[in-house]
Amino acid sequence: MTFEGYRSPTYDELIDERGRPRPVAAELVAHLEAIGPTELAARQAAAQASIEAAGISFTVYQEGLGIDRVWPFDVVPRVIPRREWDRIEVGLVQRLTALNHFIGDVYGDQRIVEAGIVPSELVNGSRGYLDVCEGAKPAHGVWAHICGSDLVRDRDGTMYVLEDNLRVPSGVSYLIENRTVTKRVFAELFAHQSILPVDAYPERLLRILASLSPRPDPTIGVLTPGVYNSAYFEHSYLARTMGVELVEGSDLVVEDDVAYLRTIDGPVRVDVLYRRVDDAFLDPEVLRPDSVLGAPGLISAWRAGNLAIANAPGTGVADDKVVYSYVPDIIRYYLGEEPLLPNIPTYRCVDDDDRRYVLQHLPELVVKPANESGGYGIVVGPAASKGELEAIAERITAEPRNWVAQPTIGLSTVPTICDEGLRPRHVDLRPFTLLGGDSYVTCGGLTRVARNEGSLVVNSSQGGGSKDTWVVDTGA
Amino acid sequence: MLLARTANDLYWLGRHLERAEGLARICAEHTNLLVDLPTDVESDWTTLLAVTGTVAAFADRYAGRGEADVMTFLLADIGNPTSLVRTVSSARENLRVCRQLLPVDAWERVNRLHLRLVEGAGCATSRSARLELCEEVVEACQALSGILETTMSRDDVWRVCQLGRQIERADLTTRVLDVRAGGLMRTGSVPSQPPADRSPYEEVRWLGVLRSVAGQHTYHRQHRGAVEAARVVDFLLGDASFPRSVLHCVDEMEALVAELPVRTTVTGACRGLRSVLRHRRGTAMDAQDLHRHVDDLQVALAALHHVIGTAYFEAGHPAGAARTRSVAR
């Protein structure tokens, strides 16, 4: 009686409001009922053991033997109907295409500012804006080649885009590894239904990266900050599965605007870098002078067209919560289409009316810094103390450009293994979208799950877990 | 293509894996030896410290010299950078850097071994648990060698990793010879004693020397009958067909270096090592002579290790002229 009495306080991805399985999850729920709670717990333990043995981990700073923490995983998958996913896919590509037009325009003629769609200070005063990118013309006109959007589903079942992560989003390796583990644990279920595969990503990413190269037969590298970076596992994973070099800043040397790798054979020219190093650390000549994670001259090699960098420098300008609020207008302006995926209504504190509303309604809103990622700096109104609300009100008044606010979104739940059995826990979803010579969206995405009851915090750096995500073709 | 930085970790991966296997072997062998020796024959555990070059480091951390302390120090002590648990952990950190270049199974193997040691190396004081642990380590290392041997391309990744293994192997064989065999010999030019005059346990001890480097079986196939000191020394230094003899390691390293990017310093150091090996000083059965010879070999091995570092791992510095080379993938 695994699901007996299971009720979610909001929209649940597997079980409807009357406690019946949703059609797309019927097979899965029947199977979980059939094996029972004891067997389910055994499979959860087996999954965690195999993750540990395979060394699927993320890095934390820790003294002693080893620096990694086992990737937290819950074996009960999240299920999405294929028909819904097909629509989301198109919406994600639409969004990324429009955002790339926007970035190119921002570093070019700024037509969108001239047209009065976005205010000049939004882009020109943005922390993500890099002077060195002005006038650059990357291949295919694409700046952000890899995007890891965060999607959330509200109480009524609507899927919203919560964030566009256009800088160095991570998680895709876990998405693929979660599937590998699930196949071991629930092998029988894969035989009976059509669950779309997720393992094409590295090959598609490689194709996109190769399409950016200035030369045929390119040498390609994944640029990592190194083994202490929290996503190092993923950098290594992607280098291996694409069969490209895993590069650190110290491996690179630039001479006459051409970048080389230091190999045992001497310097070898490199054509494309998939960098997992933040903009500010890419090139100490132009950006942060104290950085050892990048290499001097990388930006000028990129500007000279001798080196492709993905994502291109400067994409952070579009990865800003205030810019986010303009994305529907950005889509309409560049593509002449209506947005397919809705935005969460967003109040811009820089706007006088919006700010007044936000300051009056703080206890019911989520306040976010405009330019942070990883869930840092967010104040959740309903959960905040009086003192926290007063502090955030002061900060908003002092620097309105740095803050936005949104209504609290429910975040749907998925049954998750807890000490007391299966309980609803809140999830989000991070699909990965690729854009270059062509486009690609992962089948589903990485489902991140909050571990504690009622918690909305899903980041693995803050104790969140993960689930496999099935896009199921029911033929319907 | 092989990045110089990654090559360094590959080389050390090879060294650390070989070291872990060697250490597990000599600890298991020494424990087994006790079974064959009568209780009144003193068994000196500190010879293991001498073999691993950790006499001083041990004295810094432990007051006693007994079995429990020595075994804990060598197998389980996290504060000892050369302990088995730390050696495997270092191999795992090296592998973390070059994981993308090696078979997926290789990481799983080393990772599992690491987890096993972190959890179970504490049982080093119990003889049976210790033997079991050491056997598991040897098995895991052998399984890993099998994975690498049967699935890796014979490219620079393979060669650099093997180079690390071979130099470590040669180093270990010379150390075992120096401490274990040297300890069984006399100083001064005394010819080999006829078997009848020997202590009844001397043969057992010489067998132990061979077992420390997994050479017992091969030795017997080549030299039937009693184990003779001079033959054992010759066998471990200069038998061209035994994979753990110094000569065999030198042959292997020269073959590997011949296919790596040409570096005259490295080929020179290999030649130097071979020449030391060929020109042994003094008589075969004098401990002092053997000790000097091993010293010379170790100096030559250290020189080779050093030039490998400068020739390959520091290659491609900005100081070097940039050379454009198209690399086919």
Side-chain angles (χ1 to χ4, degrees), chain B residues 19-277:
Chain B
R19 192 175 292 175
E21 184 180 335
L23 185 56
R25 256 183 224 288
I26 59 168
C27 288
E29 186 280 322
H30 206 76
T31 305
N32 273 323
L33 189 64
L34 291 181
V35 180
D36 293 331
L37 293 179
T39 44
D40 59 330
V41 173
E42 192 206 350
S43 172
D44 186 2
W45 289 91
T46 55
T47 59
L48 290 180
L49 300 174
V51 172
T52 52
T54 53
V55 176
F58 175 79
D60 285 347
R61 296 178 60 81
Y62 293 82
R65 298 161 58 89
E67 177 176 0
D69 282 346
V70 172
M71 281 294 120
T72 303
F73 174 76
L74 287 179
L75 298 179
D77 189 344
I78 290 172
N80 167 20
T82 60
S83 68
L84 184 63
V85 62
R86 281 283 298 272
T87 302
V88 170
S89 167
S90 301
R92 181 168 173 264
E93 292 312 311
N94 297 135
L95 190 45
R96 193 193 298 285
V97 173
C98 50
R99 182 175 180 176
Q100 68 282 358
L101 302 176
L102 296 175
V104 179
D105 297 348
W107 169 265
E108 282 217 31
R109 264 287 158 188
V110 172
N111 191 45
R112 255 192 276 154
L113 182 60
H114 163 81
L115 296 171
R116 167 77 175 88
L117 284 172
V118 167
E119 172 198 307
C123 67
T125 49
S126 141
R127 279 186 192 171
S128 60
R130 182 197 313 155
L131 282 175
E132 202 177 302
L133 183 84
C134 288
E135 274 161 25
E136 261 184 69
V137 171
V138 171
E139 260 174 45
C141 290
Q142 296 272 302
L144 189 68
S145 300
I147 293 168
L148 302 182
E149 167 80 30
T150 55
T151 57
M152 279 183 75
S153 293
R154 297 313 195 251
D155 55 7
D156 287 351
V157 172
W158 163 263
R159 287 187 275 271
V160 169
C161 185
Q162 285 301 308
L163 200 52
R165 292 199 88 134
Q166 296 295 339
I167 200 167
E168 183 70 29
R169 189 176 290 179
D171 180 62
L172 188 76
T173 300
T174 59
R175 283 166 182 278
V176 166
L177 261 177
D178 188 24
V179 178
R180 302 292 306 282
L184 292 174
M185 292 176 176
R186 289 159 221 216
T187 301
S189 292
V190 179
S192 173
Q193 301 294 308
D197 288 1
R198 296 195 310 186
S199 143
Y201 302 111
E202 205 170 308
E203 176 154 347
V204 170
R205 288 184 185 275
W206 277 106
L207 274 174
V209 174
L210 285 169
R211 272 206 301 262
S212 297
V213 292
Q216 183 191 10
H217 169 73
T218 319
Y219 175 88
H220 281 312
R221 297 234 318 148
Q222 302 215 7
H223 309 283
R224 291 196 197 98
V227 177
E228 279 183 47
R231 280 182 172 174
V232 173
V233 174
D234 281 343
F235 177 73
L236 293 183
L237 283 176
D239 188 301
S241 61
F242 176 53
R244 287 173 197 273
S245 79
V246 179
L247 177 61
H248 196 275
C249 294
V250 173
D251 287 344
E252 289 287 312
M253 287 193 281
E254 280 194 334
L256 292 164
V257 165
E259 294 195 47
L260 280 165
V262 180
R263 298 288 183 272
T264 50
T265 49
V266 180
T267 40
C270 282
R271 257 201 316 277
L273 175 60
R274 185 180 287 282
S275 143
V276 171
L277 187 61

Side-chain angles (χ1 to χ4, degrees), chain A residues 50-57 59 64-68 177 184 206 215 217-220 224 227 232-233 236-237 239-240 242-248 250-251 253 255 260-269, chain B residues 1-7 78 85-86 89 92-93 96-102 104 107-108 111-112 114-115 118 156 160 260-261 263 311-318 320-329:
Chain A
S50 95
I51 286 173
E52 190 179 3
I56 303 167
S57 60
T59 309
L65 298 167
I67 50 171
D68 41 2
E177 291 289 62
R184 265 185 232 166
L206 179 62
R215 298 191 308 160
D217 287 332
T219 296
I220 299 173
T224 174
V227 293
Y232 179 79
F233 167 83
S236 165
Y237 179 92
R240 172 165 60 80
M242 292 193 288
V244 305
E245 307 307 316
L246 182 60
V247 177
E248 291 184 14
S250 62
D251 300 325
V253 50
E255 280 187 17
Y260 299 90
L261 296 174
R262 294 179 42 217
T263 78
I264 62 168
D265 234 351
V268 172
R269 182 169 169 174
Chain B
M1 179 188 346
L2 178 56
L3 294 178
R5 173 183 55 83
T6 319
I78 290 172
V85 62
R86 281 283 298 272
S89 167
R92 181 168 173 264
E93 292 312 311
R96 193 193 298 285
V97 173
C98 50
R99 182 175 180 176
Q100 68 282 358
L101 302 176
L102 296 175
V104 179
W107 169 265
E108 282 217 31
N111 191 45
R112 255 192 276 154
H114 163 81
L115 296 171
V118 167
D156 287 351
V160 169
L260 280 165
R263 298 288 183 272
Y312 297 126
F313 313 147
E314 291 163 27
H317 265 306
R323 190 153 50 85
T324 310
R325 195 183 77 163
S326 167
V327 175
R329 179 158 302 286

Side-chain angles (χ1 to χ4, degrees), chain A residues 396-442:
Chain A
I396 291 172
T397 316
E399 286 181 301
R401 165 66 181 87
N402 290 349
W403 299 94
V404 299
Q406 294 168 338
T408 339
I409 294 290
L411 254 68
S412 58
T413 59
V414 178
T416 300
I417 299 173
C418 301
D419 292 341
E420 324 82 65
L422 287 176
R423 291 291 179 272
R425 290 292 179 266
H426 294 292
V427 295
D428 76 350
L429 180 63
R430 177 174 285 185
F432 290 82
T433 309
L434 299 177
L435 193 63
D438 60 357
S439 67
Y440 174 77
V441 181
T442 49

